[in-house]
């Protein structure tokens, strides 16, 4: 009976721990590359040159989500209820268009450092808050649906 217990606990494969760690690392790298590829294909689909159309769509969708007037995004107001949606818009416009920070900043009357901070803050909250990740993913999917409508055959 002791022999059976030992055989149950014995690993079923001959894969070493370092090899398993390497496989996990390879998978993480592949996931990161696939995410980057998806992001690049979104940019190509949107046509990077149409900054105004993308920014208008993003602003409208984010404001709808947060129940804000679009004009609030370009105000100097800094309350969290306005600043957070503004940061999301800045980040999504940059992400979806591939435009430099300075170009996105001009849309809001801000400097490039503000857009960099916004993108870093949005990424950080997405990494630590599942609800934020889901919210932004939903906003992004609605934006992409508006910008790239599927044509019925």
């Amino acid at each position: 009976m002791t022999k059976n217990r030992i055989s149950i606990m014995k690993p079923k494969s001959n894969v070493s721990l370092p090899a398993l760690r390497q496989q996990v690392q390879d998978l993480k790298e592949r996931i990161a590359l696939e995410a980057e590829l998806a992001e690049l294909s979104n940019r190509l689909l949107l046509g990077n040159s149409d900054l105004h159309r993308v920014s208008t769509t993003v602003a409208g969708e984010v404001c709808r989500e947060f129940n804000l007037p679009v004009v609030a995004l370009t105000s100097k107001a800094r309350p969290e209820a306005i600043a957070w949606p503004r940061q999301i818009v800045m980040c999504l416009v940059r992400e979806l268009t591939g435009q430099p920070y300075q170009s996105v900043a001009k849309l809001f009357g801000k400097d490039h450092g503000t857009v960099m901070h916004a993108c870093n803050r949005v990424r950080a909250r997405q990494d630590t808050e599942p609800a934020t990740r889901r919210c932004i993913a939903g906003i992004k999917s609605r934006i992409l649906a508006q910008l790239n409508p599927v044509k019925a055959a």
Side-chain angles (χ1 to χ4, degrees):
M1 190 181 263
T2 306
K3 196 174 193 180
N4 287 342
R5 285 187 189 170
I6 293 173
S7 66
I8 290 172
M9 294 179 359
K10 199 173 180 184
K12 303 254 182 208
S13 70
N14 294 330
V15 178
S16 67
L17 186 57
L20 192 57
R21 284 187 178 137
Q22 184 59 48
Q23 288 176 352
V24 168
Q25 184 60 35
D26 291 346
L27 283 173
K28 285 180 181 178
E29 289 173 9
R30 183 174 177 184
I31 290 168
L33 286 172
E34 287 177 358
E36 190 176 334
L37 180 62
E39 205 54 55
L40 287 172
S41 41
N42 282 341
R43 288 180 189 172
L44 289 173
L45 287 171
L46 294 177
N48 295 346
S49 62
D50 199 356
L51 180 61
H52 178 72
R53 181 174 73 105
V54 173
S55 62
T56 303
T57 305
V58 171
E61 203 51 53
V62 171
C63 285
R64 192 173 0 267
E65 178 74 24
F66 288 92
N67 198 26
L68 278 176
V70 174
V71 70
L73 297 175
T74 55
S75 72
K76 300 258 184 212
R78 297 174 74 175
E80 180 72 8
I82 295 173
W84 175 237
R86 181 189 301 132
Q87 289 173 332
I88 293 171
V89 173
M90 289 178 181
C91 183
L92 288 176
V93 168
R94 171 148 163 75
E95 189 178 304
L96 294 172
T97 63
Q99 292 291 318
Y101 291 114
Q102 189 64 40
S103 298
V104 176
K106 284 180 186 176
L107 294 171
F108 297 91
K110 307 289 184 187
D111 65 37
H112 76 282
T114 303
V115 179
M116 290 174 69
H117 173 74
C119 293
N120 289 336
R121 186 157 184 251
V122 169
R123 278 189 228 107
R125 283 185 65 173
Q126 283 182 303
D127 290 344
T128 59
E129 300 172 12
T132 298
R133 188 177 324 118
R134 284 189 301 274
C135 175
I136 293 174
I139 292 169
K140 192 173 173 182
S141 69
R142 290 191 301 272
I143 291 165
L144 291 172
Q146 288 178 42
L147 294 174
N148 296 313
V150 178
K151 296 178 181 173

